[in-house]
Amino acid sequence: MTQAISNKKIILGLLLLGVNLLMGQISSPPVLEAEGDQVFCSLSEQNIVTDFSIEINDGAAIDKIYIQISTGYTLGEDILRLNGTHPKVTSGWNVAEAKLTLRNNSTDNDLSHLVNAVKNVIFYSSNSNPTRDKYFSITIGSAN
C-alpha cells in the first residue's frame, strides 16, 4: 500500500513539473498600439496612423506586419502604400485582399524601423467623393 501511494506521489510530482515547464514556455504576445481616427480629405494621401508603438514582452522577432483595409475597401479605388525610404523594410500590396505587408529585413532586436514604417503608411482613394468609412487593421503573424 505504501509503495502504491509513493508511486502516485512520484507520478503526480512529474505531472506537475511537466505542467510547470510547459507554462514557463508560454510567451506573451507583442502589444500593438495605434492611434489615427481622422477625417479623410478626398484625392489626398493620408497616413493611416497618427501614432504607433510595438511592445515586445519576450524578445521575439517580428518578421512581418500586415496592414489591411478591413472595412470599407473599394477595389480599384483604394490603396495602401509605404512612403519614404526604409532600407530595413520591404513592402508589398495585395489588391485582392486590401492588405499591405511590411517585411522586416533586419536581424537586430530594435524595432524602431518597423514603427517608423507603419507611421509612414498612407491611404489613398482615387474616388473624388468616397462615401464609405475606412477601417484598418494592423496585425503581426498570419492572423488577419
Side-chain angles (χ1 to χ4, degrees):
M1 181 77 111
T2 311
Q3 183 65 26
I5 293 174
S6 184
N7 285 344
K8 287 181 184 178
K9 285 182 180 178
I10 291 172
I11 291 172
L12 181 60
L14 289 174
L15 180 63
L16 290 175
L17 178 64
V19 169
N20 242 354
L21 288 173
L22 285 174
M23 294 303 286
Q25 299 297 320
I26 296 173
S27 62
S28 299
V31 176
L32 307 178
E33 290 190 24
E35 295 177 18
D37 189 9
Q38 308 168 69
V39 176
F40 177 68
C41 184
S42 297
L43 300 175
S44 68
E45 295 181 349
Q46 183 165 345
N47 293 73
I48 63 162
V49 298
T50 55
D51 198 18
F52 180 74
S53 66
I54 303 172
E55 180 184 322
I56 301 295
N57 297 317
D58 64 359
I62 295 178
D63 296 326
K64 296 177 186 173
I65 293 180
Y66 299 99
I67 303 172
Q68 189 168 26
I69 305 172
S70 53
T71 303
Y73 176 62
T74 304
L75 181 69
E77 293 179 3
D78 300 342
I79 189 170
L80 294 174
R81 184 177 68 238
L82 177 59
N83 266 359
T85 303
H86 303 275
K88 295 182 180 182
V89 178
T90 54
S91 65
W93 170 245
N94 183 323
V95 67
E97 295 180 346
K99 180 171 37 177
L100 181 72
T101 302
L102 302 178
R103 288 174 187 82
N104 182 3
N105 298 325
S106 177
T107 56
D108 60 32
N109 289 334
D110 178 20
L111 297 177
S112 61
H113 59 283
L114 281 175
V115 169
N116 289 332
V118 172
K119 289 180 177 181
N120 283 282
V121 170
I122 60 99
F123 167 77
Y124 175 78
S125 176
S126 61
N127 186 336
S128 61
N129 190 22
T131 57
R132 299 175 70 191
D133 287 343
K134 312 293 180 179
Y135 294 91
F136 307 96
S137 62
I138 302 173
T139 59
I140 296 173
S142 59
N144 284 307

